[in-house]
């Protein structure tokens, strides 16, 4: 049966860059030809979540949220707006980071929807964070003598947003590649403001676990860390703060490798077949 | 008609072809072949071939609509709409297609021409570029490039509402197949084809204001509080402010609720709007807050001309007219120097006539 991949992202009424990652990852997956159609849908842009499914032809849809954590959006907004009949967060049987997929019917179009967990909590996201650290330092071996801070928003509407950050920080720490790994937050302890207090290493890579660059990643965080007085005029990479070299990467969601996490989510839910998928992705690199 | 098309015809005849303009059947040995102006029975293979050649326009049409035009039904229906296929006979339509048929979809003009072997090729450009030569426009062939064009207006400002009548000019998509045409239109105006088709079929699933705001939870709960059974004036104002054709090319089909239509004009757009969009809901959220304030009496001294000037200023901003006002047009109340003069005269510490706002103005405690 023909399959469509539908990516659900936040988008913005004000910031044209907000939807860029969704488009970029969709383009890459589209180029593999693994899906009959790949469609980007948004909460704040168009097609809206409400109308996304009716724009694709296939009756079988893999729906992947381009969101960082489980919570308000994945449990309430998306199921409601995509009209996923009978969705119950308990079907995911998740501890806050382990939602994988569940199959439902979308009431308005009658399509079968394999509703996947958000990209942010997929284990492959740890690799994207590391890739981000490599690209910002220009060092594919980065790790030894270096600290890594994974930064998140913290308690937004839902405690799970901090869990996702912690989850990847723990996983990356266990690999032993970086001297130190810390989860830091914008509005709870440990705070990103005091980044240098939390590390002993001379070099610290800071990767914000956000889908898109915007106010938080381009103004709040660089300002809070003291990278610059005036975020609008940019900052040096690295910037020395209190004797520590800070390598600040933009939002992790803009990393091209994230397209593979989107695809992984759909594969985990039974889309395409993984061998041909791996090969097809190679072809787009 | 080419040989591939004839082969397709012959094999489809096994199961039987039965469209409005072409019928072909076989009993396994001979064929029946029927078009609007002729009917043949008991044809041999060769005779079928000859009949198909004689009436080739019907065969190539059949081939286009079964093998080339895109699935599913909504896309096919749209392709038919573009060439007004349901209103004309095959020979008439083909004659018009030779010259090219033009159709408008929002600010897009679609041009379709007949190409070789009954195929169609489509071109798409801004309606105001209808008379431009393609050589003078920036040419695109990849539907996804429409994303960039859609994203900002002529002045480079971000367009969060794709159906705002501010699409910029100067580009053309050429050599599009039917499927690529559909994809390009869907990129400029997402979901418009699907919703238009639903409406054509009498199946448009409209979500009216009341249901739409009741559904919204979380931070949008505040919109719901606005919907507090005090009549529908507030929704009339929203529709008048946002959904008029000067602001959005969709034709508003949503009302206050199933029983309570709005008086505000829904517009004449080709494609419908089936539910308050996210932009309207966001704006309504702001109005909910400021409209919840109690009104109070302020006293200002204004000359009659100053009162009129304030009205002109509001009109000019609401109609997006401020940019066009000439520097030296002092007869226009929204002229910049006129506005600056008024401010110099009437404002004291940012307050009109020096009268303080008092607690609770929208300028404080809100961002
Ligand atoms: S709600 Fe109004 S502004 Fe929004 S898309 Fe519909 S008609 Fe346009």
């Amino acid at each position: 049966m023909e399959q469509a991949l539908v990516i659900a992202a936040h988008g913005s009424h004000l910031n044209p860059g907000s939807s860029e990652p969704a488009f970029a990852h969709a383009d890459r997956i589209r180029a593999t030809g693994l899906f009959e159609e790949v469609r980007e849908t948004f909460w704040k842009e168009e097609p809206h979540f409400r109308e996304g499914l009716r724009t694709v032809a296939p009756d079988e849809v893999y729906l992947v949220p381009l969101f960082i954590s489980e919570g308000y959006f994945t449990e309430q907004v998306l199921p409601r707006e995509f009209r996923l009949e009978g969705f119950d967060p308990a079907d995911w049987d998740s501890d806050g980071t382990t939602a994988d997929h569940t199959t439902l019917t979308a009431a308005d179009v009658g399509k079968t929807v394999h509703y996947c967990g958000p990209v942010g909590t997929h284990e492959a996201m740890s690799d994207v964070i590391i890739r981000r650290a490599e690209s910002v330092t220009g060092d594919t071996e980065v790790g030894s003598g270096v600290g890594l801070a994974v930064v998140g928003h913290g308690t937004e509407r839902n405690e799970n947003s901090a869990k996702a950050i912690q989850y990847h920080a723990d996983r990356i720490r266990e690999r032993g590649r970086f001297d130190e790994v810390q989860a830091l937050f914008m509005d709870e302890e440990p705070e990103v403001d005091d980044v240098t207090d939390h590390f002993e290493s001379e070099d610290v890579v800071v990767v914000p676990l956000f889908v898109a660059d915007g106010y938080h990643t381009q103004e709040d965080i660089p300002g809070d860390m003291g990278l610059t007085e005036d975020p609008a005029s940019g900052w040096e990479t690295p910037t020395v703060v209190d004797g520590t070299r800070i390598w600040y990467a933009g939002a992790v969601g803009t990393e091209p490798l994230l397209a593979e996490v989107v695809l992984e989510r759909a594969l985990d839910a039974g889309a395409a077949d993984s061998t041909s998928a791996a090969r097809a992705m190679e072809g787009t690199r | 008609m080419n040989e591939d098309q004839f082969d397709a015809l012959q094999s489809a005849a096994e199961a039987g072809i039965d469209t409005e303009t072409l019928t072909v059947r076989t009993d396994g040995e001979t064929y029946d072949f029927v078009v609007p102006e002729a009917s043949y029975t008991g044809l041999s293979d060769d005779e079928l071939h000859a009949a198909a050649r004689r009436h080739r326009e019907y065969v190539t049409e059949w081939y286009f609509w079964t093998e080339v035009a895109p699935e599913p039904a909504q896309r096919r229906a749209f392709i038919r709409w573009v060439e007004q296929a349901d209103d004309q006979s095959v020979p008439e339509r083909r004659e018009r297609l030779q010259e090219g048929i033009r159709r408008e979809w929002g600010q897009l003009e679609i041009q379709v021409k007949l190409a070789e072997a009954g195929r169609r090729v489509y071109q798409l450009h801004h309606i105001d570029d209808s008379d431009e030569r393609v050589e003078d426009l920036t040419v695109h062939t990849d539907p996804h490039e429409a994303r960039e064009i859609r994203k900002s207006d002529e002045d480079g400002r971000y367009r969060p509402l794709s159906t705002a009548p501010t699409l910029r000019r100067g580009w053309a998509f050429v050599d599009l197949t039917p499927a690529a045409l559909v994809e390009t239109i869907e990129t400029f105006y997402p979901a418009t084809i699907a919703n238009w088709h639903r409406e054509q079929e009498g199946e448009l699933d409209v979500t009216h204001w009341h249901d739409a705001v009741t559904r919204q939870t979380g931070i949008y709960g505040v919109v719901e509080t606005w919907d507090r059974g005090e009549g529908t004036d507030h929704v009339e104002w929203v529709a008048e402010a946002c959904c008029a054709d000067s602001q959005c090319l969709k034709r508003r089909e949503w009302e206050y609720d199933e029983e309570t239509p709005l008086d505000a004009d829904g517009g004449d757009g080709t494609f419908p709007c089936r539910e308050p969009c996210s932009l309207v809901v966001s704006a309504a959220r702001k109005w909910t807050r400021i409209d919840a304030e109690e009104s109070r009496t302020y006293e200002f001294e204004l000359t009659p001309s100053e009162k009129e000037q304030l009205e002109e200023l509001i009109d000019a901003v609401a109609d997006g007219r401020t940019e066009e006002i000439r520097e030296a047009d002092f007869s226009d109340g929204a002229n910049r120097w006129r506005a600056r003069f008024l401010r110099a005269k009437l404002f004291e510490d940012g307050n009109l006539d020096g009268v303080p706002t008092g607690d609770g103005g929208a300028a404080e405690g809100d961002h």
Side-chain angles (χ1 to χ4, degrees):
Chain A
M1 187 150 67
E2 292 185 345
Q3 301 177 338
L5 174 71
V6 172
I7 297 175
H10 193 283
S12 164
H13 291 156
L14 297 169
N15 170 11
S18 169
S19 51
E20 290 302 328
F23 288 127
H25 303 316
D27 283 346
R28 239 188 111 201
I29 298 172
R30 200 175 279 124
T32 66
L34 287 166
F35 295 89
E36 204 62 28
E37 289 181 40
V38 179
R39 178 76 71 228
E40 311 84 340
T41 63
F42 301 95
W43 176 229
K44 297 281 192 173
E45 297 180 32
E46 299 161 76
H48 191 267
F49 294 160
R50 287 281 278 178
E51 301 187 340
L53 294 178
R54 62 188 61 195
T55 68
V56 296
D59 286 325
E60 186 166 23
V61 174
Y62 290 84
L63 175 60
V64 179
L66 199 64
F67 283 83
I68 291 301
S69 54
E70 294 174 26
Y72 177 63
F73 274 98
T74 61
E75 291 172 4
Q76 294 182 45
V77 176
L78 269 67
R80 182 185 75 218
E81 302 291 293
F82 282 99
R83 292 172 254 204
L84 304 181
E85 277 185 321
F87 173 80
D88 180 349
D91 297 345
W92 264 342
D93 189 23
S94 171
D95 66 6
T97 58
T98 55
D100 50 7
H101 58 90
T102 170
T103 299
L104 305 128
T105 303
D108 58 328
V109 288
K111 295 180 193 285
T112 301
V113 177
H114 303 281
Y115 181 38
C116 304
V119 289
T121 55
H122 194 278
E123 54 182 23
M125 195 69 173
S126 300
D127 300 322
V128 183
I129 295 170
I130 293 170
R131 174 69 61 85
R132 197 66 176 164
E134 293 171 0
S135 53
V136 70
T137 55
D139 176 2
T140 53
E141 307 285 314
V142 65
S144 161
V146 175
L148 173 69
V150 183
V151 182
H153 200 288
T155 351
E156 263 174 301
R157 295 190 186 96
N158 184 308
E159 48 155 349
N160 290 334
S161 97
K163 279 191 191 164
I165 316 296
Q166 201 65 58
Y167 169 76
H168 292 294
D170 291 346
R171 278 175 50 91
I172 297 171
R173 186 180 307 110
E174 277 161 29
R175 295 189 194 178
R177 172 168 170 169
F178 291 85
D179 281 14
E180 309 166 82
V181 181
Q182 266 286 358
L184 299 179
F185 302 96
M186 291 178 62
D187 56 6
E188 68 181 71
E189 292 286 327
E191 287 199 18
V192 68
D193 305 35
D194 322 313
V195 56
T196 52
D197 294 353
H198 299 288
F199 288 91
E200 310 208 318
S201 315
E202 276 177 25
D203 288 279
V204 174
V205 179
V206 179
V207 180
L209 201 58
F210 286 80
V211 165
D213 275 320
Y215 187 75
H216 291 323
T217 64
Q218 297 300 300
E219 299 195 30
D220 273 354
I221 299 176
D224 287 352
M225 290 193 299
L227 293 187
T228 166
E229 289 290 310
D230 171 23
S233 54
W235 53 87
E236 298 281 306
T237 307
T239 300
V240 180
V241 177
D242 299 337
T244 305
R245 269 194 299 274
I246 304 282
W247 303 76
Y248 179 59
V252 73
T254 59
E255 185 66 40
L257 187 63
L258 187 69
E260 296 184 27
V261 184
V262 176
L263 184 59
E264 284 285 333
R265 275 292 186 206
L267 294 177
D268 292 348
D273 88 88
S274 23
T275 348
S276 56
R279 229 177 290 126
M281 260 343 241
E282 287 287 339
T284 69
R285 269 183 210 142
Chain B
M1 182 190 75
N2 60 33
E3 287 312 305
D4 285 349
Q5 292 172 345
F6 180 73
D7 291 347
L9 179 85
Q10 205 169 10
S11 50
E14 311 269 323
I17 296 173
D18 189 14
T19 69
E20 269 176 38
T21 54
L22 178 68
T23 308
V24 187
R25 276 186 299 261
T26 178
D27 55 11
E29 301 206 343
T30 64
Y31 295 88
D32 296 346
F33 182 95
V34 184
V35 292
E37 60 264 15
S39 170
Y40 308 83
T41 50
L43 302 179
S44 68
D45 280 19
D46 284 351
E47 288 165 342
L48 175 69
H49 196 254
R53 285 185 62 84
R54 199 169 311 128
H55 302 285
R56 55 185 162 281
E57 66 266 34
Y58 290 99
V59 176
T60 53
E61 277 302 293
W62 164 81
Y63 185 83
F64 176 76
W65 292 110
T66 41
E67 302 291 325
V68 184
E71 301 278 2
Q74 63 190 48
R75 296 182 189 168
R76 185 164 298 217
F78 176 75
I79 292 295
R80 291 187 75 81
W81 175 85
V82 169
E83 56 186 71
Q84 293 159 306
D86 295 333
D87 309 337
Q88 288 164 335
S89 73
V90 169
E92 275 170 351
R93 176 160 24 112
R94 287 174 67 91
E95 201 181 307
R96 292 192 55 227
L97 276 168
Q98 298 282 7
E99 291 159 25
I101 298 176
R102 290 168 186 248
R103 292 286 251 169
E104 287 184 7
W105 191 260
Q107 285 184 294
L108 303 174
E109 184 177 73
I110 306 158
Q111 201 183 326
V112 51
K113 274 195 165 153
L114 204 56
E116 139 241 354
R119 289 182 178 268
R120 270 68 161 167
V121 337
Y122 300 85
Q123 204 201 99
L124 195 67
H125 46 245
H126 193 288
I127 38 173
D128 296 337
D129 286 334
S130 190
D131 299 329
E132 298 290 328
R133 294 179 315 169
V134 178
E135 303 83 77
D136 296 332
L137 301 170
T138 310
V139 167
H140 303 266
T141 50
D142 176 357
H144 294 104
E145 288 171 8
R147 266 185 337 223
E148 277 311 307
I149 300 172
R150 175 187 113 183
K151 208 145 208 178
S152 53
D153 66 14
E154 213 76 64
D155 299 324
R157 265 182 318 192
Y158 177 43
R159 297 175 70 243
L161 183 66
S162 65
T163 45
T166 53
L167 197 61
R168 62 184 207 234
R169 299 175 47 187
W171 47 267
F173 285 78
V174 300
D175 293 335
L176 299 175
T177 61
L181 172 75
V182 165
E183 188 65 28
T184 313
I185 298 220
E186 279 288 303
T187 309
F188 276 113
Y189 293 143
T192 53
I193 293 178
N195 287 329
W196 163 85
H197 184 244
R198 279 179 175 245
E199 187 179 51
Q200 298 273 308
E201 302 287 296
E203 292 167 358
L204 184 67
D205 49 341
V206 174
T207 305
H208 296 290
W209 173 270
H210 179 75
D211 287 341
V213 298
T214 316
R215 187 183 83 239
Q216 307 267 1
T217 57
I219 50 170
Y220 289 100
V222 64
V223 176
E224 195 182 333
T225 63
W226 197 22
D227 195 27
R228 48 195 178 215
E230 293 169 0
T232 56
D233 279 354
H234 57 304
V235 188
E236 291 282 359
W237 300 327
V238 172
E240 183 182 328
C242 313
C243 306
D245 279 350
S246 67
Q247 306 300 305
C248 174
L249 299 171
K250 284 188 188 172
R251 171 174 27 84
R252 180 181 53 75
E253 287 297 323
W254 55 264
E255 307 289 352
Y256 176 75
D257 63 20
E258 189 80 45
E259 281 81 44
T260 324
L262 299 173
D263 290 331
D265 186 11
D268 302 319
T270 312
F271 34 80
C273 169
R274 45 162 296 284
E275 144 170 12
C277 67
S278 76
L279 213 61
V280 158
V281 173
S282 279
R285 206 179 135 227
K286 176 73 182 173
W287 290 317
T288 310
R289 278 209 237 111
I290 54 186
D291 224 52
E293 294 170 12
E294 292 295 324
S295 66
R296 61 181 84 163
T297 307
Y298 293 98
E299 241 180 85
F300 306 108
E301 294 274 328
L302 299 173
T303 67
S305 293
E306 284 165 355
K307 173 182 173 286
E308 278 175 9
Q309 193 188 344
L310 285 178
E311 290 156 1
E312 265 185 272
L313 275 163
I314 292 175
D315 272 340
V317 172
D319 296 336
R321 205 170 60 78
T322 51
E323 299 274 304
E324 315 160 359
I325 300 168
R326 286 167 298 166
E327 294 284 299
D329 187 358
F330 305 124
S331 67
D332 194 317
N335 169 276
R336 198 171 64 250
W337 278 10
R338 290 273 313 270
R340 291 176 66 86
F341 181 88
L342 196 67
R343 181 172 69 177
K345 179 181 171 194
L346 295 183
F347 280 24
E348 222 170 278
D349 298 332
N351 283 313
L352 183 59
D353 219 12
V355 178
T357 304
D359 292 340
E364 51 184 78
D366 190 43
H367 51 86

